[in-house]
Amino acid sequence: MAAPAVEATAATALRSVILRARKAAERVGRDPERVRVVAVSKTKPVALIRQIYDAGHRCFGENYVQEFIDKAPQLPEDIEWHFVGHLQSNKAKTLLAGVPNLAMVHGVDGQKVANHLDRAVSSLGRRPLKVLVQVNTSGEASKSGVEPSSVVELARHVNMQCPNLVFSGLMTIGMPDYTSTPENFRTLTNCRAEVCKALGMSEDQFELSMGMSGDFEQAIEMGSTNVRVGSTIFGPRDYPKKTT
């Protein structure tokens, strides 16, 4: 069980993050309601997530499939779950079967995982799944995601060849120390313009998932509609040895 002091601190931190997100949107004339704070609860106990839920928050993100399918059934069904980690193709059906209220997958980084998700949605008979294509904006070999030059091709594949998926936008993970933050975000917004032009989509309805604990305000100022905030809300992480 999470300690009461930790729970109170997390709820207070959540309110602070939401306020900071609203102010960041207002600074650049954006509608704060168009910005979603995804509370990333990886490695955190169900009791602590429940405290954030009881404080009124409904949007949570998880990174690891096994941990996710263990925790989700223990929590209310009206949670809007986001999968924000790297998804292996062979885990797609396990994820969707284990989390019926999964709202969005942020990290589709190739046609193979898109196809597996599409087939899983179909075989489970669930509603179409919103997905974001992950873009490697930093050029790091260790990062998942397609190169910016390949974004339109993958977005078109999801949009045209995966009828059970709803192509909703783009996602990126910046450098761990946030040094390349503005460049990464600018690259993603440039990719958005290219994809919208190629697919005939409106930028107003296009999702961008960029920004984490250290840079979410700047991300919002540069157009993000989803900020993935974990440690600022929940505190430091105790990472599991196995990250499946």
Side-chain angles (χ1 to χ4, degrees), residues 3 27 31 45-47 59-61 77 83 104 133 137 144 155 160 164 169 171 188 192 204 206 210:
R27 277 198 295 273
D31 179 3
V46 167
C59 184
F60 293 86
E77 292 181 1
F83 185 77
M104 185 182 288
V133 164
T137 56
S144 300
M160 304 296 291
N164 301 291
M171 174 263 210
L188 201 68
R192 174 182 63 186
D204 290 341
F206 198 92
M210 61 186 194

Side-chain angles (χ1 to χ4, degrees), residues 89 92-93 96 111-126 161-165:
S89 298
K93 189 168 184 179
L96 292 186
Q111 292 188 10
K112 184 178 179 182
V113 71
N115 293 342
H116 277 253
L117 282 168
D118 184 62
R119 288 196 293 269
V121 172
S122 177
S123 67
L124 292 167
R126 61 156 283 161
Q161 304 299 322
C162 300
N164 301 291
L165 303 182

Side-chain angles (χ1 to χ4, degrees), residues 28-100:
V28 291
R30 294 185 60 203
D31 179 3
E33 299 302 321
R34 283 278 293 138
V35 178
R36 183 185 292 112
V37 174
V38 182
V40 180
S41 48
K42 64 182 179 184
T43 79
K44 297 303 179 182
V46 167
L48 185 53
I49 300 169
R50 184 63 196 237
Q51 285 293 319
I52 299 298
Y53 175 91
D54 288 344
H57 201 62
R58 293 294 180 269
C59 184
F60 293 86
E62 288 283 342
N63 287 61
Y64 309 124
V65 172
Q66 188 58 52
E67 179 188 356
F68 199 177
I69 64 176
D70 288 344
K71 286 157 71 171
Q74 302 177 58
L75 289 154
E77 292 181 1
D78 66 335
I79 284 180
E80 179 187 314
W81 285 112
H82 291 237
F83 185 77
V84 298
H86 175 67
L87 181 61
Q88 296 171 301
S89 298
N90 63 354
K91 299 282 181 68
K93 189 168 184 179
T94 301
L95 173 64
L96 292 186
V99 189

Side-chain angles (χ1 to χ4, degrees), residues 227-242:
V227 289
R228 309 179 304 273
V229 183
S231 57
T232 298
I233 296 171
F234 292 101
R237 305 196 183 285
D238 297 317
Y239 282 95
K241 289 180 178 148
K242 187 177 180 182

Side-chain angles (χ1 to χ4, degrees), residues 105-110 114 131-136 145-147 150-159 167-172 188 195 206-209:
V105 170
H106 285 231
V108 172
D109 60 0
V131 299
L132 305 179
V133 164
Q134 184 172 348
V135 186
N136 185 340
V146 295
E147 296 299 315
S150 302
V151 171
V152 169
E153 181 185 359
L154 180 54
R156 185 177 281 124
H157 174 82
V158 174
N159 199 45
F167 172 70
S168 301
L170 304 174
M171 174 263 210
T172 195
L188 201 68
V195 171
F206 198 92
E207 299 267 9
L208 288 182
S209 175

